[in-house]
Amino acid sequence: MLLSEDDVALFARVSGDRNALHCSPDHARRTPFGRTVAHGVLAVLATLDEQAADDGAGATAVEADFGNPVFPGVRYRSEALGEARTEARTGLGYRLLDGDRTCLTVRVRPGTPPDLDPLPVPQDRSAPRHGIEDLPPGTAVSGGYGPEGTDALRGRFPAAARLLGQTPLACLLWSSYVAGMRLPGENCLLGRVALRFLPVAARGPARLSYSARVVHTDRRFGLVSIVGQITADGAVVAEAEIEAMVRTPAPPATSAALGEHLSPSTRLRGASAVVVGGSRGLGAALSLALASQGAEVFVGHRDTLPPALRAEAEGLPGQLHSVPGDAADPRWSTELRSSVEREHGRLGFLVCSAAPPLRTLGLAATDLERMDAFLTGSLRLVSAPMSGLLPLLEPGRGRCLVISSAALDEPPRDWPHYVAAKSAVEGLVRWAARHRPGVAFHLARPGMLRTEQTNSPGARETAGPVEPVAARLVRQLLEPAPADGVPHLIGEEELVGPVPAGRT
């Protein structure tokens, strides 16, 4: 099964679910996924279309559970669940797989659904940014609903449309719309949808109305449970249960939190630093930490330097300078080299903190193409800046700090690509330390940190803040340089715990 960006755009237009995670590449790039994600209900339709018999008779119930994201442009495998075709109680069952990982399961109970032709209704084009604290039990929304241009969607997924029937298809589209655009809204990650369709006497064109309300929230894990009804002329057409996770953005690095571990000073006044991947997460904290010691910091980033980061740097002894572009492209470091040479003559520090978005992968044949892309992307985000900027470090025995990971000590099951990439990066740094004696190299292996890269409910329970780690790393950069030919390895145990604020 393969979805395209055009499929995502079609589904967004017909369903009204224009959630930014699906439709805005700039927004999606700032999430843990790193790119736009296909709608969960769109993936359900594609799975049903690939697996369902061509003589669909309609559905009286649909249940879908979502476990892993589905991305446009990536090929997945669908299959029927064991003996699902003969299970009268639960109906037809299918699942979508990414290697050996389940992305979704869906069950359809065949029967005679309501025979209505929902009339199109204009929908909201922007979604509220609710946090879990904004969604106590009893929070409710209501309105009218009708998908627009369903003929195009039915033409794209004809077997799925016939299997479901006209009214169940509209109600399934509604579940995506109400979760992604109304309740919970922009921060929604859909977890489960269950729809039960009720017989009604009415037939033909009808205006649908809906109501939905929160019945339970779990603030610890950001989970919300919603029940809803869809009606036509006062008669209940469908009853719905929706479960979703409300995504909480990772907290940005702040100079105040950094100041608890590293006091501002002018020790690096006149020094210049480049931080690749310096606009978010640990990279942003390192940018602030170097500026707090008086350095002129050139912050490498893909899009726009966050205004919040600029605000955090105001009042620090040093300054941040925006350097947008793709650091994996050698032209980025070549242009930056000219600028640094012209303004400072040489470079004091190069920090490589960028990495591609981290997604779950395995070691199946279907994973190898994405693994290769991740390995190449990870290595280029270090090798390209080093190739262009290491010569600027040599005149003053500057420092090169490369961020690796404690995952090399305890390799996670679903991160073989990440472990392989960090191993390759460390190998490159060891080579550079041997053959670039004019530069002092540091390798850091921090543990799980509270960043967008690892922003999940489980990680939020165990991940640590970025500021103490950044403070300790900058303090290491202020210590005497390591011996020639050997990079200084800074392990996880050296990067945890408080740093006395008065020590610089």
Side-chain angles (χ1 to χ4, degrees), residues 95-464:
R95 65 179 172 180
L96 188 67
L97 296 163
D98 182 9
D100 60 355
R101 299 170 301 282
T102 300
C103 296
L104 66 87
T105 59
V106 55
R107 289 189 181 275
V108 178
R109 186 178 301 171
T112 304
D115 187 16
L116 300 172
D117 180 12
L119 297 171
V121 176
Q123 304 300 332
D124 293 340
R125 300 184 67 90
S126 61
R129 295 178 179 175
H130 292 312
I132 189 66
E133 67 280 355
D134 302 318
L135 300 167
T139 304
V141 295
S142 61
Y145 182 77
E148 296 192 55
T150 52
D151 286 348
L153 196 65
R154 288 197 294 263
R156 173 65 178 89
F157 304 106
R162 284 191 292 269
L163 173 67
L164 293 169
Q166 191 163 239
T167 305
L169 174 60
C171 293
L172 196 57
L173 300 181
W174 166 85
S175 70
S176 183
Y177 166 77
V178 79
M181 299 297 290
R182 298 296 311 274
L183 194 67
E186 184 173 287
N187 293 325
C188 170
L189 294 178
L190 199 56
R192 179 175 182 270
V193 169
L195 292 166
R196 185 169 68 94
F197 309 108
L198 286 72
V200 294
R203 300 170 63 90
R207 294 190 180 277
L208 301 182
S209 299
Y210 70 87
S211 62
R213 62 184 174 87
V214 175
V215 294
H216 178 72
T217 57
D218 183 335
R219 292 198 175 195
R220 180 180 179 186
F221 293 104
L223 301 176
V224 59
S225 298
I226 299 163
V227 298
Q229 282 189 339
I230 300 175
T231 62
D233 297 326
V236 178
V237 173
E239 295 176 335
E241 296 177 5
I242 298 173
E243 295 178 1
M245 191 184 87
V246 182
R247 200 169 51 82
T248 302
T254 67
S255 55
L258 183 67
E260 296 177 7
H261 307 280
L262 183 68
S263 295
S265 79
T266 56
R267 187 167 176 180
L268 295 180
R269 177 67 54 82
S272 60
V274 171
V275 182
V276 183
S279 65
R280 297 191 298 164
L282 178 59
L286 286 164
S287 296
L288 291 175
L290 288 164
S292 78
Q293 303 305 300
E296 298 291 307
V297 184
F298 296 86
V299 181
H301 58 92
R302 286 298 298 263
D303 301 308
T304 303
L305 193 65
L309 182 61
R310 288 185 181 276
E312 291 294 334
E314 291 180 3
L316 295 178
Q319 287 187 310
L320 302 186
H321 303 278
S322 172
V323 190
D326 181 6
D329 185 338
R331 290 174 294 184
W332 179 85
S333 56
T334 299
E335 294 173 4
L336 178 56
R337 176 178 174 175
S338 299
S339 176
V340 173
E341 259 183 327
R342 184 171 57 253
E343 297 179 25
H344 298 274
R346 64 187 185 186
L347 185 64
F349 303 91
L350 170 61
V351 178
C352 296
S353 184
L358 179 56
R359 308 183 191 110
T360 298
L361 272 183
L363 197 54
T366 53
D367 296 324
L368 297 183
E369 186 174 339
R370 279 176 286 167
M371 177 176 283
D372 290 347
F374 187 89
L375 292 173
T376 301
S378 297
L379 193 59
R380 284 292 291 268
L381 285 170
V382 178
S383 61
M386 285 175 59
S387 68
L389 298 174
L390 285 182
L392 287 185
L393 292 170
E394 290 181 306
R397 187 153 170 74
R399 308 293 186 94
C400 178
L401 167 64
V402 177
I403 305 301
S404 182
S405 172
L408 292 184
D409 302 316
E410 295 289 339
R413 179 184 181 278
D414 294 326
W415 291 2
H417 53 313
Y418 183 74
V419 173
K422 290 301 186 183
S423 297
V425 164
E426 289 200 4
L428 176 64
V429 173
R430 289 191 174 91
W431 177 91
R434 174 65 61 89
H435 297 286
R436 290 277 191 173
V439 179
F441 289 87
H442 303 258
L443 273 169
R445 290 184 179 177
M448 187 76 76
L449 297 176
R450 206 170 298 137
T451 69
E452 282 298 343
Q453 186 82 297
T454 56
N455 189 12
S456 67
R460 286 199 295 269
E461 288 289 298
T462 58

Side-chain angles (χ1 to χ4, degrees), residues 79-87 90-95 107:
E79 65 180 22
L81 296 176
E83 300 185 5
R85 294 181 184 275
T86 63
E87 293 178 1
T90 55
L92 311 178
Y94 312 97
R95 65 179 172 180
R107 289 189 181 275

